Amino acid sequence: MSVAAVAKLTKAEATRELGRLRAEIARADEAYHAKDSPEITDAEYDALRRRLEAIEARFPDLAEARPIAPGPAGGFAKLTHGKPMLSLENAFDRDDVERFFQSVRNFFVRPEDVARVERDAIRLVAEPKIDGLSCSLTYEKGVLVRAATRGDGAVGEDVTENIRTISEIPPKLKGEAPERIEIRGEVYMTKPDFLKLNAKLEAEFLALPAEKQTKNRRRQFANLRNAAAGSVRQLDPDITRNRPLRFFAYAWGAASDEPEGQWDFYGRLKAWGFKVNPLAERVTGIDAALARYARIAEERAELPYDIDGVVYKIDAVDLQDRLGFVGRAPRWALAHKFPAEQARTRLNRILIQVGRTGALTPVADLEPVNVGGVLVARATLHNEDEIARKDVREGDTVVIQRAGDVIPQVVSVLTEARRKAAKPFVFPETCPECGSVAVRPEGEVIRRCTGGLICPAQAVERLRHFVSRDAMDIEGLGEKSIGEFFADGLVRTPADLFKLKAGMLDGREGWKEKSIQNLLGAIRARRKVSLDRFIYALGIRQVGQATAKLLAKHYGTLDAWRRAMEAAGDPGSEAYADLTSIDQIGPSVAEDLIAFFAEEHNRSVLDDLARYVDAEPFVAPSARGSPIADKTVVFTGTLEKMTRSEAKARAEALGAKVAGSVSKKTDYVVVGSDAGSKAEKARALGVATLSEDEWLKLIGG
Ligand code: IVH
């Protein structure tokens, strides 16, 4: 391998070396995962990877979505998206829509920017939100080379061969094509095709010998989205080929050349040979967007495919880029959902579930009912106050609703249909799983089991969370198996997973040699995970994915984070001040973090886990080579050229941490007009202060 400094490489050299590195990495991956006999050491492998990443960071247009690991034998390989696949912020009524655009409007300050985003002037594309499976298709020099599902947004499944069987997806772009582009859209199925497919599956099922019919019970698809997703995610592309799949294109990911506008891009998509939803329209102003929504809602029932709302996208790409995203959703797009679908049914019983933090959650066990194409048998009742407020009783007839992906809810009770004998529900004051007292602190709505470590329900839920897709993402370990492994004493803590051996699973019902090997492979593949995933996987109260990312970004390594959390137990400490200086981390989250680390058991779980899992230091993806990567910045006073929100978004996109208060660890304080004590504190501590112009110069305008 060449050891020339990355900064000195010419593009031609970089291209050659990238080719070589990718081949070496692929060979090493193959040896490690498929043959299970590594040919190079972990350190050598890491060095290859680091070099590849460094070169790609310098020449982003040479970067590619690459397989990060072949899937377990018989599964899908994983593909890293060139740019993350985002989700969308939801709006449920006009007020939500108005608020969303108000926040866009407030993002800007200069009159020429503001004029473009005023309520009645903003230019948008409005189009149906398709209920299917989103996919990202990579074209190089106009040729389809890879296709991936969305997965967790950063990494999806390699479904290239299956996607190639869909006739609405061009294998080659017509006309002039960019060097490289990821094209995104929705694979979906039409209603008539769906009915035909289900009828065919039913016929095939009935043609099976009787003893096989029971095992194949779930042959029909519950709805159009499942049918599309299930058909794409077939291990045998020939099955996919015979499924009537279609595709609407609507976005781009990494691209060697960006379009100027969303609408302009749709023109290009059509010229390349894609279908763009014919109901997509460019509109000016929010009223026109809402009118478009109303029109599409009227047409919804007649459409041959399922839609669940209307997506608004700001047309101008320069504004899209400046707005960026927050968490997993762009600030420049919104999904305006159609109202929830409702149905009535009988509530048989109220069950109490115990979550991983001990919360007791009431769940309605329902007489199964079809709500907008999905069979619903459970609905949430939220908490004990909600049950009392709605006066929900066992045996009642209730109205339930579901909207999009959210859990179905009990909306109201039809009291006139109530039987005389129905008694008000008494919420238990002990944990139904371990019998410990369940307490409800004053001012809180949630009652919690105090059993902590002795409560099996909490332990199992923590394990489920640990392996779940957004956490450690260990495939092949369903909720049921975790419960069984726990009950049998095979896996009690997260680290126990890494101690599993084939011999411990042999002979278990439902486990064959292949599924055991797959599971062990999936666990092995998770010995390296990003620090933010690792933090999230611990299941600390109030530490969701976004907070886990903030922590990973702020502390960098597992060791540093852990040391800081233990030191932060003293509220007078610098570690505590540092923790709460992280934007969006307040005293309440800090308290939960400290409480987690104060628990001896949690510390030993961490010690144990650290022996198996290597939590990789956090690297902000686009930030390598940025002048402010890893720097801590504080903004104070009024900025003239951009709002505080935009300044913060820009700084974060460039890999900086934005803090709310000045400390010795601050690298820059950007001082606007009328700045107060923070500017003084910076000077007192000797922290560099910059004017807004100096700041813009530093980050390149
Ligand atoms: S745009 C950055 N347009 O909805 C925005 N998404 O809830 C990229 N979806 O994961 C998405 N129809 O898979 C866009 N016309 C449409 C869509 C659409 C369906 C899906 C998409 C996304 C999800 C977000």
Side-chain angles (χ1 to χ4, degrees):
M1 186 177 74
S2 155
V3 289
V6 172
K8 289 199 182 137
L9 288 178
T10 65
K11 197 159 175 179
E13 286 168 343
T15 311
R16 271 199 305 278
E17 195 181 337
L18 281 177
R20 215 165 40 233
L21 285 167
R22 287 184 188 130
E24 276 190 63
I25 289 172
R27 207 164 40 238
D29 279 338
E30 163 84 14
Y32 184 82
H33 293 281
K35 301 192 201 135
D36 222 359
S37 57
E39 285 170 1
I40 58 176
T41 66
D42 284 359
E44 284 165 334
Y45 181 82
D46 290 345
L48 290 175
R49 266 250 129 86
R50 272 200 302 276
R51 176 116 183 130
L52 178 90
E53 279 162 17
I55 299 177
E56 285 187 341
R58 197 172 149 229
F59 299 99
D61 54 334
L62 297 179
E64 67 173 25
R66 57 179 173 271
I68 54 168
F76 291 101
K78 304 259 162 140
L79 278 176
T80 303
H81 301 300
K83 260 198 189 161
M85 286 181 83
L86 304 174
S87 50
L88 294 168
E89 185 71 43
N90 288 328
F92 296 97
D93 55 29
R94 278 169 176 256
D95 287 349
D96 290 347
V97 176
E98 294 278 358
R99 258 194 304 277
F100 178 83
F101 285 104
Q102 188 64 39
S103 73
V104 168
R105 154 76 189 73
N106 291 341
F107 196 79
F108 297 100
V109 59
R110 281 196 299 199
E112 61 269 36
D113 294 333
V114 171
R116 298 169 67 198
V117 292
E118 289 288 12
R119 189 182 183 288
D120 298 320
I122 189 161
R123 204 150 65 167
L124 307 162
V125 173
E127 65 185 74
K129 183 168 183 297
I130 313 294
D131 218 358
L133 175 76
S134 53
C135 284
S136 182
L137 320 171
T138 305
Y139 287 81
E140 280 173 12
K141 298 193 167 54
V143 178
L144 176 65
V145 290
R146 270 180 302 279
T149 61
R150 177 170 183 277
D152 67 0
V155 177
E157 285 173 327
D158 183 345
V159 288
T160 312
E161 293 317 311
N162 301 7
I163 287 294
R164 285 190 201 283
T165 68
I166 300 176
S167 61
E168 287 190 353
I169 294 183
K172 256 180 127 166
L173 303 182
K174 281 192 223 145
E176 217 170 294
E179 197 43 40
R180 196 174 162 266
I181 186 165
E182 287 177 342
I183 288 171
R184 286 160 183 187
E186 207 83 359
V187 176
Y188 70 98
M189 206 178 273
T190 66
K191 296 175 194 171
D193 283 343
F194 167 76
L195 295 174
K196 266 190 259 165
L197 173 64
N198 262 355
K200 190 173 129 203
L201 291 174
E202 174 71 2
E204 282 171 11
F205 170 64
L206 292 174
L208 291 172
E211 73 275 11
K212 284 209 175 149
Q213 288 190 0
T214 47
K215 286 185 199 141
N216 286 279
R217 240 174 308 171
R218 294 184 62 212
R219 292 279 289 177
Q220 295 204 22
F221 289 111
N223 55 47
L224 279 77
R225 189 211 334 220
N226 290 3
S231 299
V232 170
R233 299 184 70 256
Q234 287 289 333
L235 292 175
D236 177 359
D238 283 332
I239 296 181
T240 309
R241 193 184 313 280
N242 291 316
R243 297 283 168 85
L245 295 168
R246 294 160 194 266
F247 186 75
F248 279 130
Y250 53 62
W252 66 95
S256 53
D257 111 68
E258 272 212 337
E260 271 172 28
Q262 191 76 32
W263 191 246
D264 157 58
F265 180 65
Y266 287 0
R268 285 203 221 176
L269 282 172
K270 287 186 227 170
W272 285 331
F274 285 101
K275 294 236 161 80
V276 171
N277 194 294
L279 297 175
E281 238 179 46
R282 186 154 63 165
V283 294
T284 303
I286 300 172
D287 291 336
L290 289 168
R292 191 68 204 135
Y293 169 86
R295 193 60 214 272
I296 293 176
E298 272 173 29
E299 292 186 31
R300 180 184 186 192
E302 308 302 318
L303 291 176
Y305 45 83
D306 268 355
I307 65 175
D308 61 350
V310 170
V311 185
Y312 307 125
K313 304 171 184 176
I314 292 181
D315 188 34
V317 173
D318 65 319
L319 294 179
Q320 291 187 0
D321 286 345
R322 284 175 65 187
L323 283 157
F325 49 90
V326 57
R328 296 167 150 236
R331 286 197 190 82
W332 47 267
L334 182 70
H336 187 177
K337 294 294 200 69
F338 294 133
E341 312 217 39
Q342 298 194 335
R344 300 172 174 199
T345 189
R346 188 186 131 95
L347 181 152
N348 293 326
R349 278 187 63 202
I350 295 176
L351 311 170
I352 304 290
Q353 289 182 348
V354 184
R356 67 169 204 270
T357 58
L360 266 48
T361 308
V363 175
D365 174 44
L366 306 166
E367 204 51 45
V369 59
N370 188 316
V371 195
V374 173
L375 205 60
V376 174
R378 292 277 164 98
T380 175
L381 285 160
H382 302 290
N383 55 55
E384 64 186 289
D385 285 359
E386 280 293 301
I387 297 183
R389 197 176 62 76
K390 294 177 185 149
D391 187 20
V392 184
R393 304 182 187 187
E394 294 185 326
D396 276 352
T397 302
V398 292
V399 176
I400 59 162
Q401 72 173 28
R402 65 170 271 277
D405 298 334
V406 301
I407 303 169
Q409 327 174 340
V410 174
V411 186
S412 60
V413 176
L414 299 171
T415 33
E416 59 279 16
R418 172 175 290 161
R419 287 172 315 153
K420 281 215 181 76
K423 293 197 193 72
F425 182 71
V426 183
F427 205 91
E429 292 186 352
T430 54
C431 172
E433 300 284 344
C434 71
S436 304
V437 175
V439 296
R440 182 176 163 185
E442 219 173 290
E444 288 190 17
V445 290
I446 294 175
R447 188 175 287 277
R448 280 177 210 279
C449 161
T450 54
L453 303 174
I454 66 142
C455 179
Q458 291 185 48
V460 171
E461 287 308 316
R462 272 197 298 266
L463 285 168
R464 286 184 180 154
H465 172 78
F466 185 78
V467 304
S468 64
R469 190 166 88 171
D470 291 333
M472 296 293 279
D473 190 20
I474 295 177
E475 265 179 56
L477 199 53
E479 301 210 337
K480 190 161 157 267
S481 308
I482 295 241
E484 290 168 3
F485 288 5
F486 183 87
D488 297 347
L490 222 50
V491 176
R492 288 285 159 123
T493 74
D496 291 344
L497 286 166
F498 295 91
K499 299 175 195 163
L500 281 177
K501 302 236 164 17
M504 298 157 78
L505 300 174
D506 283 344
R508 286 187 79 84
E509 201 187 316
W511 290 86
K512 302 221 176 71
E513 194 185 328
K514 190 158 167 199
S515 51
I516 294 175
Q517 282 314 320
N518 285 350
L519 174 64
L520 296 178
I523 294 174
R524 215 164 33 235
R526 287 300 179 217
R527 286 183 165 221
K528 258 198 178 123
V529 286
S530 61
L531 178 58
D532 56 308
R533 265 185 190 272
F534 183 84
I535 294 177
Y536 172 68
L538 296 175
I540 302 170
R541 237 158 105 177
Q542 296 198 72
V543 180
Q545 284 175 283
T547 306
K549 275 214 167 74
L550 291 174
L551 292 166
K553 198 160 149 188
H554 190 82
Y555 294 101
T557 65
L558 177 58
D559 269 355
W561 176 59
R562 181 170 178 175
R563 251 180 286 126
M565 293 305 97
E566 287 174 7
D570 167 9
S573 65
E574 188 155 326
Y576 183 84
D578 186 42
L579 173 62
T580 48
S581 81
I582 303 174
D583 205 28
Q584 292 172 51
I585 293 193
S588 159
V589 177
E591 201 177 298
D592 283 333
L593 282 162
I594 292 164
F596 179 89
F597 280 90
E599 185 107 39
E600 165 70 37
H601 165 80
N602 290 334
R603 290 199 305 268
S604 76
V605 162
L606 262 179
D607 286 337
D608 212 13
L609 260 181
R611 294 183 11 233
Y612 299 96
V613 181
D614 185 6
E616 295 181 304
F618 184 84
V619 196
S622 59
R624 283 166 289 206
S626 139
I628 54 165
D630 299 329
K631 302 281 187 219
T632 302
V633 183
V634 174
F635 292 98
T636 178
T638 314
L639 304 176
E640 309 291 335
K641 306 236 163 73
M642 48 174 87
T643 57
R644 189 72 75 77
S645 327
E646 182 174 11
K648 178 166 172 279
R650 280 278 284 280
E652 285 175 349
L654 288 166
K657 300 167 210 158
V658 178
S661 58
V662 180
S663 77
K664 275 192 287 190
K665 291 196 178 160
T666 312
D667 294 288
Y668 299 112
V669 176
V670 181
V671 184
S673 53
D674 302 323
S677 62
K678 289 183 194 172
E680 278 164 34
K681 183 158 182 204
R683 282 177 206 118
L685 290 173
V687 172
T689 58
L690 302 174
S691 69
E692 184 176 359
D693 284 333
E694 287 168 329
W695 162 252
L696 287 173
K697 214 166 131 201
L698 174 70
I699 63 170

